[in-house]
Amino acid sequence: MVMEVMRAAIDREAAGERVVHMEVGQPGAPAPRPVLDAARAALDHGRFAYTEALGLRSLRARIARYYADAHGLDVPKERIAVTTGSSAGFNLAFLAAFDHGDRIALAAPGYPAYRNLLQALGLEVVDIPVDAGTRYVLTPEMLEAAHARSRLAGVLVASPANPSGTIMQPEALGALIEAAHGLGIRFISDEIYHGLVYDGVAETALRFSADAIVVNSFSKYYCMTGWRIGWMVLPEALVRPVERIAQNLYISAPEISQIAATAAFAAVPELEAIKASYAENRRILLDRLPGIGFDEFHPVDGAFYVYASVRRFSNDSVEFARRMLTEAGVAATPGPDFDRTGGHQWMRFSFAGATPDMSEAMDRLGTWLG
Ligand SMILES: Cc1ncc(COP(=O)(O)O)c(C=O)c1O
């Protein structure tokens, strides 16, 4: 649906109409300077080849250093696999960790590709709805209840989450991992929005377990969506299976992206300035959305999304999004992308865009709904 909203928005722009984009979940900023410099220098050298399937050793070592620097954790570089975006990481994780027909629990709402990939691989998705009662996160009790109904092989959690930006507080994450391990359920942690945190602490699952599969990416905090580069931290027993699947699936991540990504960790000052602009965008939305009538949303702890209820205006967020685009010139993503059952009353606003656009969108929505 997000792609359809995007297409409709582009059609309108082609017809000369102004559209404020709040549907896309990607940074507006280019990749940071050290990344571009490293890529330019590599281009002069010229030859790009396959790398080892698990990635350039220099990048794996640099990622291991990131865990030491940012989290004080000693993660052996041998457990790190470089992937073509976290999207490939999920594919590899699901193929390596599960068997056909296994049941995997996901929080609803959640990122739609998890479900689509799992189903394409013949795995069964078990949706667990989350609500304000648990601060919109999965709890050990929910996992135990779902497992008791029918055996789960895995659970996948994102923190900060998409579409909500909500973080699992470290104690909540630790407790869920402990419960999963106790029940023999494989834990997968999507940490792609780490670094983009405004409130609270986004702890890595690696703090609590060497058996969790951690998936991360250079796409969001590092502003490198189009470079298609991410990584996984694997339990030791899954390193070789993931390596063999990656060898067959795509041989290796693009070498130029791997070289460029190695420089991304040196870009923190530039990236923090970009994050400060998201923080300002977040402030504008949290300040103004309630007054316009979007007065219920999940906690916006991190990422760059507000997942807001449209109940006051409509029970059909797909139709509401269509009208919002045509009548107010603001594009956002309707909830059914993220939650097939409850999503028709919700909508995701992305605040990854430019700050003046955020104010303009709030003005437009205020006038439209006022
Ligand atoms: C929660 C989440 N996980 C994973 C991805 C995939 O990102 P990439 O493949 O660019 O790393 C996205 C992209 O929007 C996302 O929102």
Side-chain angles (χ1 to χ4, degrees), residues 25-50:
Q26 65 174 339
R33 180 167 295 277
V35 166
L36 297 175
D37 288 345
R40 265 190 219 104
L43 276 175
D44 286 341
H45 170 69
R47 181 171 186 271
F48 298 103
Y50 299 137

Side-chain angles (χ1 to χ4, degrees), residues 310-325:
V310 299
R311 240 186 306 254
R312 255 172 184 270
F313 308 112
S314 170
N315 280 322
D316 179 355
S317 53
V318 176
E319 171 60 12
F320 186 75
R322 198 192 57 72
R323 280 185 38 228
M324 198 166 92
L325 176 61

Side-chain angles (χ1 to χ4, degrees), residues 25 85-87 90 111 114 162 190 192-193 217 219-220 228 305:
S86 69
S87 301
F90 292 113
Y111 177 57
Y114 305 144
N162 179 4
D190 182 352
I192 187 171
Y193 291 105
S217 175
S219 287
K220 307 291 176 167
R228 307 310 303 129
Y305 306 114

